[in-house]
Amino acid sequence: MGKVIPHSLFTDYDINLFKSGKHYRLYDKLGSHPMELNGEKGTYFAVWAPTAKSVSVIGDFNYWLEGDHKLYVRWDESGIWEGFIPGVAKGNLYKYKIRSHNQDITTEKADPFARYSEQPPKTASVVWEGDYKWKDKAWMGYRKEKNGLDRPYSVYEVHLGSWKRTDDNKFLSYEAFAKELVSYVKEMGFTHVEFMPVMEFPYDPSWGYQLTGYFAPTSRFGNPEEFKKLVDTMHQNDIGVILDWVPSHFPEDAHGLGMFDGSHLYEHPDRRRGYHPDWKSLIFNYGRNEVRAFLISNACFWLDQFHVDGLRVDAVASMLYLDYSREEGEWEPNIYGNNENLEAISFFKELNEYIYGNYDGVQTIAEESTAFSGVTKPVYLGGLGFGMKWMMGWMHDTLEFFKKEPVYRKHHQDDITFSLTYAFTENFMLPFSHDEVVYGKQSLLYRMPGDEWQRFANLRLLFGYMFTHPGTNLVFMGGEFGQSSEWNYQHSLDWHLTNYDFHSGIQELVKQLNHIYKNYPALYEKQFSPEGFQWIDYGDAENSVLTYVRKGHDKKNDLYVACNFTPVPRENYRIGIPSAKKALAEIFNSDDKKYGGSGMHNKAIKVTKNSWHGHPNSVEVTLPPLSVLIFQ
């Protein structure tokens, strides 16, 4: 193994961009890059460690000994150490051993820009070089149409480690997911899949939200090219791929980003802004140019190298507020004396401006749980620039309403209608995510009151209401077939339940709702606009019934929705009809026997000139128990 040869991939322009926080393709420069130099094969290494007094590459090629392969520090005060090591090739293991000027601290770190890592609990980085040939040219050409805000967006949220496992409880591989998961998502009719974090993480109970390898798909399921194949196969089947992305915090693991070069390099040095008390993790320093470039480069890496169609940004609220989860005296106000993190706000604006300006047909989605204004407004209008935001208030209010025994729901009608007072203030996605089925909250099914039939009827009603409410949709895996137990990341979903009629009925219902959502423009063309929704009657609390209209561009495509939140059938129930149609057809009924319902249907629904609900026309229908009906 030869000595380190001075070499650089950086130009002066690269360095200037890096120092100013504007280099968004750092993954092309930093990290390990197999290459040939003067006819000799080897690997170029580059790492940012400005307070280091020496940086050695240690690995399986030098017995993990320090000193044989010391990198050279650049002269330009960028803090970058670099060099070419002959003979190091794809598959070699390595770390950086960093001796700091800061109190002689020595650290051994995984490469922040590594493309591949050892499988946890091992922690070394792996030299990697990909040669994947993409086959999704068609998708990449028309995904702008598929991913638009006026298109169907029905998301299946997946934790790869527990969606399905082998009979002996081992992980499936990326290649197995490319067959089984793709086939299932396509059959169920979801338009997108969202993966909980796939970036390398050391600790399974974190579910992937404590990252140490931001540029490496986790090796638990295979190598980076195999993950690319999974994304590619999704695209070839017209399924978009969203990744959970975590720029909010990172763990203090010894091989991770914390105290990287013996200093607070990636994390904020002030503990009040650099440590997260809830997750016992470190918070990025959003005011440091090089850290912003690291994070935005990481977002671009997944969009660029892995053809990802969207990023769901985790824990946005924790980034926006200096006092998030902090008591008085544990945080310091900004220069204006309030609690907003101005540096994080600036970071989000820069991130979204760059992504939407440089990647066609992608979306960024904020998991933001507060009433922060303008999350999905464009940056040029003063917003943060996200494409969508999770509607956490809707989710909490809806689940609280559904938990109540139907006899009491008439006293809480306002809880289920309140969301429409703010539904169009942002571009909202309606989430029933993994967070709602853990830590004693119970599964969606077992949150429902009543006997077995009523529980399943309530769940069918919940999904029907969700798919007809304005906004896009997200369902966590298992919910779509009525998983009865809470989610357990250590085991497969209970797929055997789909052998039972009630569970297979829920599965069939979600499949049909996806079909209707994709095929009826009234449900998506104006899903973020008040023009796409009209109440018929939200005041019938005595019967716990809601009726409303969903509208698209063409009035003849209007859909009429009726929800009955009690187990009492409502016969001859009159609903006002805004337009002068002659008849309505029932196109969906959650009480259909094929879904596990009682089978009460409406056949010929004649529109009469009897005024009702302030409209000149009306119809009389039967509302089955605990049901959603859609008419056209």
Side-chain angles (χ1 to χ4, degrees), residues 587-604:
I587 63 168
F588 174 80
N589 183 335
S590 67
D591 191 54
D592 195 300
K593 285 186 176 180
K594 66 184 175 185
Y595 308 135
S598 63
M600 295 179 70
H601 281 282
N602 294 274
K603 292 185 180 171

Side-chain angles (χ1 to χ4, degrees), residues 505-520:
I506 294 286
Q507 194 176 37
E508 184 62 32
L509 174 124
V510 172
K511 186 192 302 184
Q512 183 63 21
L513 285 170
N514 275 326
H515 174 81
I516 289 171
Y517 178 42
K518 290 190 293 187
N519 287 282
Y520 288 85

Side-chain angles (χ1 to χ4, degrees), residues 298-336:
N298 185 243
C300 293
F301 173 77
W302 296 101
L303 300 173
D304 174 36
Q305 300 285 300
F306 286 82
H307 291 199
V308 165
D309 309 293
L311 297 172
R312 176 268 195 185
V313 183
D314 183 61
V316 169
S318 75
M319 298 170 63
L320 293 177
Y321 297 102
L322 296 168
D323 60 345
Y324 186 90
S325 277
R326 296 182 190 276
E327 301 296 329
E328 189 173 344
E330 296 177 347
W331 63 281
E332 185 178 44
N334 63 29
I335 58 173
Y336 302 111

Side-chain angles (χ1 to χ4, degrees), residues 10 95 194 230 316 330 361 401 472 530 534 545 579:
F10 286 89
K95 284 186 178 180
E194 179 184 317
L230 171 56
V316 169
E330 296 177 347
F401 178 85
T472 55
Q534 179 184 355
V545 172
S579 58

Side-chain angles (χ1 to χ4, degrees), residues 72-123:
Y72 296 89
V73 66
R74 289 184 62 89
W75 56 270
D76 50 22
E77 298 183 342
S78 62
I80 293 171
W81 298 71
E82 60 187 355
F84 175 81
I85 305 179
V88 176
K90 176 179 177 179
N92 277 130
L93 306 178
Y94 71 100
K95 284 186 178 180
Y96 297 116
K97 188 151 192 175
I98 304 170
R99 293 193 176 273
S100 176
H101 284 293
N102 185 10
Q103 300 177 347
D104 279 334
I105 296 172
T106 300
T107 59
E108 276 189 16
K109 295 292 186 177
D111 187 346
F113 284 84
R115 305 291 182 93
Y116 193 31
S117 299
E118 280 190 295
Q119 186 167 337
K122 296 180 179 179
T123 58

